[in-house]
Amino acid sequence: MLRIIDPRTGEPVVAAPVRRGLTRVEAHASGCGSGSLRVLLVADLVVRVLELGGTSVLPVLTGEREQAELRAAATRFGARPFEDGRDVSAGFGEAQTVHVAADDAPAAGEGAWVPVAAVRPDGPAGAAPDPAALRLALLSHHHRAPAPLDEAALRAAGTTLARWRRAVADWARSPSRPVPEDLRLRLRTAWEDDLDLPAVLRVLRSVEEGGPRLPDGARFETYAYADRLLGLELTRDVGAPA
């Protein structure tokens, strides 16, 4: 069950305590910069975690500027489609709302609030040549911490992403094995604990470096399972020529 540190109290709260009904995940973002794109990324993560836990979700984007451009950039970035907040009013049977916004936005109203720290430098959202590398670079930092997004960060993310995709394609050639229960628990514990994505990535690095004790088929299934949250298309190269 996803727990978020409420910025108003500093205490953890269950993001969506009501399991029945629809949960509205509302991303508050305006303008087409990397900071706004990070808000949508974190909202996308909230949507994915809730869906993995069996909660029905309605993702909504609210804001006043460049919404079409931001929505298009988010799609390239691997985010789920967001409904336009100007077209979708409250009252669709939502049981609760989770708000995702920049950490300097006022947290008011009902529902959990997820604060998102700034991106430095905050450039145009579509500037990165590889959207998946941009996504991984942002996932490498907790949403409460500022995210440095310079050429070195994007290059390092791109290198890691290429290596993981090659490894996943290699592991896929071995007989499938279930995700080890301890790894499944570590992954779920990390992403349900205030969206600790850096901890999720550390689990994947430990699987990559785990030596012969872990069968390749289990490594493949672990990465595929984690990618349901990460959205990095880690299995993209499976079946491609070596």
Side-chain angles (χ1 to χ4, degrees):
M1 187 173 290
L2 176 60
R3 288 175 171 80
I4 296 293
I5 303 299
D6 191 316
R8 295 164 292 191
T9 65
E11 298 294 327
V13 298
V14 176
V18 180
R19 297 298 296 272
R20 295 183 178 178
L22 193 63
T23 295
R24 181 184 177 105
V25 175
E26 194 161 313
H28 302 267
S30 287
C32 201
S34 299
S36 292
L37 193 62
R38 191 184 192 197
V39 170
L40 261 67
L41 167 62
V42 175
D44 181 57
L45 295 173
V46 172
V47 169
R48 289 170 182 256
V49 170
L50 293 179
E51 288 181 339
L52 284 168
T55 300
S56 298
V57 182
L58 175 66
V60 177
L61 172 61
T62 67
E64 300 300 327
R65 296 183 292 109
E66 299 178 277
Q67 297 296 282
E69 294 85 352
L70 181 56
R71 187 176 285 104
T75 299
R76 293 193 299 272
F77 186 59
R80 304 286 181 82
F82 282 78
E83 300 291 339
D84 192 328
R86 293 167 294 190
D87 299 332
V88 180
S89 60
F92 279 75
E94 299 99 318
Q96 57 220 337
T97 300
V98 180
H99 301 273
V100 183
D103 58 5
D104 58 357
E110 296 183 356
W113 278 81
V114 183
V116 181
V119 174
R120 298 173 179 167
D122 187 2
D130 184 346
L134 170 59
R135 186 177 176 103
L136 178 56
L138 292 177
L139 289 173
S140 301
H141 303 276
H142 195 279
H143 64 89
R144 293 179 178 275
L149 197 61
D150 54 17
E151 183 178 344
L154 290 171
R155 184 168 56 249
T159 298
T160 297
L161 186 62
R163 188 179 73 249
W164 281 357
R165 284 174 173 169
R166 286 195 303 270
V168 168
D170 288 341
W171 297 333
R173 298 187 179 95
S174 297
S176 179
R177 294 287 186 272
V179 179
E181 196 55 37
D182 64 317
L183 290 176
R184 187 186 300 273
L185 180 60
R186 287 170 61 192
L187 289 168
R188 292 191 71 93
T189 298
W191 71 53
E192 291 181 349
D193 181 16
D194 200 27
L195 294 172
D196 191 351
L197 270 297
V200 171
L201 298 179
R202 287 195 294 272
V203 173
L204 294 188
R205 291 189 182 96
S206 73
V207 170
E208 181 186 19
E209 300 165 358
R213 293 179 296 105
L214 190 61
D216 284 351
R219 296 180 207 262
F220 169 80
E221 295 295 347
T222 300
Y223 269 63
Y225 174 66
D227 203 39
R228 294 171 64 186
L229 173 70
L230 299 175
L232 296 171
E233 296 185 320
L234 295 178
T235 62
R236 189 193 67 178
D237 295 339
V238 171

